[in-house]
Amino acid sequence: MAESWWKGAVVTHLLVALFGMGSWVSVNSLWLELPVVVNVLPEGWNLPAYLSVLIALGNVGPIAVTLVHHFAPGRLNERLVIHVAQALAVVASAFLAIFWGQTLVVAGDLHSVAYLLLAFILALVCCTSNVTFLPFMFRYPPEYIRTFFVGQGLSALFPCMMALAQGVGKLECRNSTSGNGTLEPHYLKENFPAENFFWFLFVMLGVSGLSFLVLTQQSADQSEQKRKAGCSAASSSSSKDSVEAEESHPLQNGSLPVSEDQVEIAKEPPCAPFWTLRNIYLLVLLGVSNALTNGVLPSVQSFSCLPYGSMTFHLSAVLGNIANPVACFMAMFVLCRSSAGLGAMAVFGGVFATYLLALAALSPCPPLLGNTVGVALVVISWIVFTGLFSYLKVVVGSLLHEAGHAALLWCGVVIQAGSLIGALIMFPLVSVYHTFQRAQDCVDNCSL
């Protein structure tokens, strides 16, 4: 009993959360550190456009995994793919911490080849995680899928807290040296350099990888225990009913993962078809929510918040990222199964999304500028928007978990597709056509 404490439900939940943390922590970290690296790398503020393209190219990973599942069902070793992806991410993050500032001359121009190459590798791993990590969670009872989404929320929260500790984006408005009485921004030096931030990313990815190793060891030990128990029960005539009951519900295994044999049984085509109207409805909700939370709204967060001040932007970012894991945690206790309720939640969250988009479109002179009410509305809108759609994603993931392994694969595909579509819609609007106008620091942007 003394050696089985690490196999308990609480420890398993913690390991699943840390495992989920590694899914998108790399891309989140790259975006958060952009204000620091653009001051060093030759691409400057064109770097976000490069990064957006690299993340889009990272979708070759989930496309490849989905094709393998389609043309060679049951042949893909998900555990091996996850181990390789996590090892690749850990090595890439270490190289990023060492070589991120190195440049090379390409076609006559200076480019940050090392940063861009390593960013692509990290983006590839993150994109692939949606179609590998989620299907792997089919081995666990439904409550663990909610813990997994809590971990995904932490993948945004922890880098955000680290960036705030670094002092990213802090500035002071000082009198102009020209002596004309105007103010000009003076950007403060960060508390620690970018390489320290990337080493923190390395640690988070390492912790996630170690957590997955322990989870796989737990599963292996559980499988061995079941084989021994099966051998002992084979000679007992009273074991027949219990074996039949276990085969009828292969995933009802308390708080422990099922064995690989049971996973293969559960992967077999179910009696009920997957493509029902309810499941399609859930996937549509999932796609829309991810398009908004991972693609559309993050692209305009600075436009919606910065006119009200840098403190408003920081509060929106931090409290919004806190709302994500909190909403996922709440779903562990209160799970809405009503299709109408989920639709109403999506509409309500869409109202806040529309308000934030309107603020971004009206930047740099949104309504209630210079008013405490305006600041409060922006921050509350980001909290409610993030919380509602985070809860919605967890609920849909939990309901699809009940539909089988293939359902979780499609869940990951739709999450990635929604995020990509949202980003592709916003990229030309923000970076090409400059639909949204950024507020200038230390300047009254709304004076006539």
Side-chain angles (χ1 to χ4, degrees), residues 230-243:
C231 292
S232 301
S235 60
S236 175
S237 60
S238 63
S239 65
K240 183 177 180 180
D241 292 338
S242 64
V243 171

Side-chain angles (χ1 to χ4, degrees), residues 169-175 184-188 442:
K170 286 187 176 181
L171 60 88
E172 291 180 349
C173 294
R174 298 180 178 178
N175 291 326
E184 61 183 16
H186 177 74
Y187 297 94
L188 303 179
C442 303

Side-chain angles (χ1 to χ4, degrees), residues 247-285:
E247 290 178 351
S248 300
H249 303 283
L251 295 182
Q252 302 304 314
N253 190 32
S255 61
L256 294 174
V258 300
S259 65
E260 290 297 319
D261 294 337
Q262 290 171 306
V263 171
E264 293 303 321
I265 292 173
K267 283 184 183 180
E268 294 178 1
C271 296
F274 168 69
W275 294 107
T276 62
L277 287 177
R278 175 174 169 79
N279 286 344
I280 293 173
Y281 171 72
L282 292 176
L283 289 176
V284 170
L285 286 181

Side-chain angles (χ1 to χ4, degrees), residues 444-448:
D444 183 3
N445 296 275
C446 303
S447 59
L448 297 177

Side-chain angles (χ1 to χ4, degrees), residues 61-140:
I63 291 173
V65 171
T66 305
L67 290 176
V68 171
H69 276 293
H70 179 74
F71 292 107
R75 304 291 292 274
L76 185 68
N77 188 329
E78 286 174 349
R79 289 189 178 187
L80 180 60
V81 173
I82 294 174
H83 281 307
V84 171
Q86 288 184 322
L88 190 63
V90 169
V91 173
S93 62
F95 283 172
L96 186 65
I98 299 171
F99 301 112
W100 73 272
Q102 301 297 317
T103 58
L104 291 175
V105 176
V106 179
D109 294 323
L110 207 59
H111 287 284
S112 50
V113 176
Y115 177 89
L116 295 174
L117 176 61
L118 294 169
F120 169 72
I121 294 174
L122 292 172
L124 177 67
V125 171
C126 289
C127 293
T128 308
S129 70
N130 278 333
V131 293
T132 52
F133 287 22
L134 273 173
F136 172 80
M137 292 305 300
F138 180 67
R139 293 160 171 77
Y140 293 83

Side-chain angles (χ1 to χ4, degrees), residues 11-267:
V11 175
T12 304
H13 276 287
L14 177 62
L15 292 172
V16 169
L18 293 176
F19 167 55
M21 179 189 69
S23 57
W24 277 91
V25 68
S26 301
V27 167
N28 291 332
S29 298
L30 289 173
W31 280 115
L32 287 168
E33 197 63 6
L34 269 180
V36 178
V37 300
V38 294
N39 295 322
V40 178
L41 299 181
E43 289 82 5
W45 278 107
N46 289 322
L47 199 60
Y50 283 88
L51 192 56
S52 298
V53 173
L54 292 174
I55 294 173
L57 292 175
N59 283 279
V60 299
I63 291 173
V65 171
T66 305
L67 290 176
V68 171
H69 276 293
H70 179 74
F71 292 107
R75 304 291 292 274
L76 185 68
N77 188 329
E78 286 174 349
R79 289 189 178 187
L80 180 60
V81 173
I82 294 174
H83 281 307
V84 171
Q86 288 184 322
L88 190 63
V90 169
V91 173
S93 62
F95 283 172
L96 186 65
I98 299 171
F99 301 112
W100 73 272
Q102 301 297 317
T103 58
L104 291 175
V105 176
V106 179
D109 294 323
L110 207 59
H111 287 284
S112 50
V113 176
Y115 177 89
L116 295 174
L117 176 61
L118 294 169
F120 169 72
I121 294 174
L122 292 172
L124 177 67
V125 171
C126 289
C127 293
T128 308
S129 70
N130 278 333
V131 293
T132 52
F133 287 22
L134 273 173
F136 172 80
M137 292 305 300
F138 180 67
R139 293 160 171 77
Y140 293 83
E143 60 266 23
Y144 286 96
I145 199 75
R146 298 157 213 168
T147 305
F148 176 83
F149 280 108
V150 171
Q152 278 200 333
L154 297 178
S155 73
L157 177 61
F158 287 164
C160 180
M161 299 300 292
M162 192 64 174
L164 288 176
Q166 188 182 19
V168 174
K170 286 187 176 181
L171 60 88
E172 291 180 349
C173 294
R174 298 180 178 178
N175 291 326
S176 174
T177 55
S178 60
N180 57 5
T182 60
L183 298 175
E184 61 183 16
H186 177 74
Y187 297 94
L188 303 179
K189 185 175 177 59
E190 294 78 25
N191 296 325
F192 51 84
E195 49 264 29
N196 290 16
F197 185 92
F198 292 136
W199 279 121
F200 177 71
L201 171 62
F202 168 80
V203 171
M204 287 190 291
L205 289 170
V207 169
S208 178
L210 290 175
S211 298
F212 181 67
L213 280 174
V214 177
L215 285 173
T216 55
Q217 184 59 44
Q218 278 187 344
S219 181
D221 290 349
Q222 180 68 13
S223 299
E224 182 64 25
Q225 290 174 6
K226 282 186 172 293
R227 279 194 293 269
K228 291 180 180 179
C231 292
S232 301
S235 60
S236 175
S237 60
S238 63
S239 65
K240 183 177 180 180
D241 292 338
S242 64
V243 171
E244 291 177 352
E246 184 178 4
E247 290 178 351
S248 300
H249 303 283
L251 295 182
Q252 302 304 314
N253 190 32
S255 61
L256 294 174
V258 300
S259 65
E260 290 297 319
D261 294 337
Q262 290 171 306
V263 171
E264 293 303 321
I265 292 173
K267 283 184 183 180

